[in-house]
């Protein structure tokens, strides 16, 4: 159980393109989803917290207009990197949470984004 | 403030040897603690968690961890390393504000020598 699907797993696109990444909880309802960015050989950096039906909460230093997050249902959150540039190239990972205190976050397999 | 410290960015063991990955945390309330494993170009997979109850927690793939309040530690162990255990391991503590956020350690890369 607790499967989180993230799509696409890998994308290459030209500078200026907008890229959408989907995160789905396949077998449970996720009241909260998280979006992370991971640089090579580093730990995860939390970008934003997404609660179903409400606006995302962004961490300090994360541009909300650059990284658009939508959490329209209890099983789907999307991250759109708008007008992507080479410095946005990274590994993006989502996670989903059931909304109960003693439960873990369950992670997707990540999306490798490369902007040319 | 809460924090997680993983001692040793790299740990190298021989196949069949004991694995010990160290994690210390700081928290002003009883913590929820987690160990995750990350294989190259993949997301994180939950190995085990401690919330309440028994302080020795058993996880997947033969790993276990012991919560020691007096030492503020949650070290991860496995009696006998396998080549497939080579990966990055992250210790995490849940944030106290009920946001379900996690604070991650910097990670430890486990290398397993044949």
């Amino acid at each position: 159980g607790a499967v989180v699907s993230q799509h696409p797993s890998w994308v290459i696109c030209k500078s200026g393109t907008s890229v959408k990444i989907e995160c789905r909880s396949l077998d449970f309802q996720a009241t909260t989803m998280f979006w992370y960015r991971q640089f090579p050989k580093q730990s995860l950096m939390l970008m934003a917290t997404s609660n179903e039906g409400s606006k995302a909460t962004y961490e300090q230093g994360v541009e909300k207009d650059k990284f658009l997050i939508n959490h329209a249902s209890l099983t789907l959150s999307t991250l759109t990197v708008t007008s992507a540039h080479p410095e946005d190239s990274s590994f993006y990972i989502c996670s989903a949470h059931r909304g109960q205190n003693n439960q873990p976050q369950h992670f997707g397999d990540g999306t490798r984004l490369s902007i040319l | 403030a809460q924090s997680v410290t993983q001692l040793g960015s790299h740990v190298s063991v021989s196949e069949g040897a004991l694995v010990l990955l160290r994690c210390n945390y700081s928290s002003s309330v009883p913590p929820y603690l987690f160990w995750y494993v990350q294989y190259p170009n993949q997301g994180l997979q939950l190995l085990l968690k401690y919330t309440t109850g028994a302080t020795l927690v058993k996880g997947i793939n033969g790993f276990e961890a012991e919560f020691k309040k007096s030492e503020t530690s949650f070290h991860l162990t496995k009696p006998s390393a396998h080549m497939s255990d080579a990966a990055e391991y992250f210790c995490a503590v849940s944030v106290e504000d009920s946001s379900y956020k996690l604070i991650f350690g910097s990670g430890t890369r486990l290398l397993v020598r044949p």
Side-chain angles (χ1 to χ4, degrees):
Chain A
V3 177
V4 176
S5 173
Q6 187 173 341
H7 179 80
S9 58
W10 177 78
V11 59
I12 300 176
C13 58
K14 294 180 179 179
S15 185
T17 305
S18 291
V19 178
K20 180 184 282 189
I21 303 170
E22 292 188 349
C23 182
R24 295 179 183 273
S25 57
L26 298 184
D27 56 355
F28 67 99
Q29 292 186 328
T31 58
T32 305
M33 288 185 170
F34 300 90
W35 288 95
Y36 296 86
R37 185 171 179 175
Q38 187 177 31
F39 293 100
K41 302 187 186 303
Q42 293 189 24
S43 188
L44 280 70
M45 181 189 79
L46 180 64
M47 298 174 65
T49 303
S50 169
N51 290 297
E52 185 266 338
S54 60
K55 290 184 178 180
T57 303
Y58 290 81
E59 296 298 303
Q60 191 172 4
V62 178
E63 299 177 60
K64 61 179 67 176
D65 294 331
K66 161 68 79 174
F67 300 101
L68 300 179
I69 291 172
N70 182 276
H71 192 165
S73 77
L74 285 171
T75 59
L76 174 64
S77 177
T78 60
L79 167 68
T80 301
V81 183
T82 62
S83 187
H85 289 93
E87 59 266 29
D88 300 322
S89 299
S90 194
F91 192 57
Y92 293 88
I93 309 175
C94 72
S95 71
H97 194 280
R98 284 186 168 91
Q100 298 167 7
N101 277 337
N102 62 353
Q103 294 298 309
Q105 290 184 22
H106 298 282
F107 288 81
D109 276 341
T111 297
R112 175 74 58 193
L113 176 62
S114 296
I115 309 298
L116 304 177
Chain B
Q2 289 178 286
S3 66
V4 176
T5 302
Q6 291 184 241
L7 288 177
S9 58
H10 291 79
V11 170
S12 181
V13 300
S14 297
E15 190 174 18
L18 171 71
V19 175
L20 171 60
L21 304 182
R22 299 178 186 275
C23 173
N24 289 89
Y25 69 92
S26 68
S27 178
S28 60
V29 300
Y32 292 161
L33 295 160
F34 307 86
W35 274 100
Y36 287 89
V37 61
Q38 184 180 32
Y39 297 99
N41 295 310
Q42 293 187 25
L44 275 65
Q45 180 182 9
L46 179 69
L47 280 176
L48 48 78
K49 66 175 182 176
Y50 169 78
T51 54
T52 58
T55 56
L56 182 61
V57 180
K58 294 188 183 300
I60 62 171
N61 302 340
F63 284 94
E64 61 182 36
E66 186 170 11
F67 170 63
K68 291 188 177 181
K69 183 179 178 180
S70 61
E71 299 177 8
T72 61
S73 69
F74 190 55
H75 301 330
L76 182 71
T77 60
K78 181 174 180 177
S80 176
H82 191 273
M83 296 298 290
S84 61
D85 294 326
E88 188 85 18
Y89 291 80
F90 292 97
C91 180
V93 64
S94 57
V95 174
E96 297 169 5
D97 63 0
S98 300
S99 65
Y100 311 123
K101 289 181 184 179
L102 293 175
I103 295 173
F104 284 92
S106 55
T108 298
R109 180 164 296 278
L110 176 65
L111 307 171
V112 181
R113 304 185 301 271

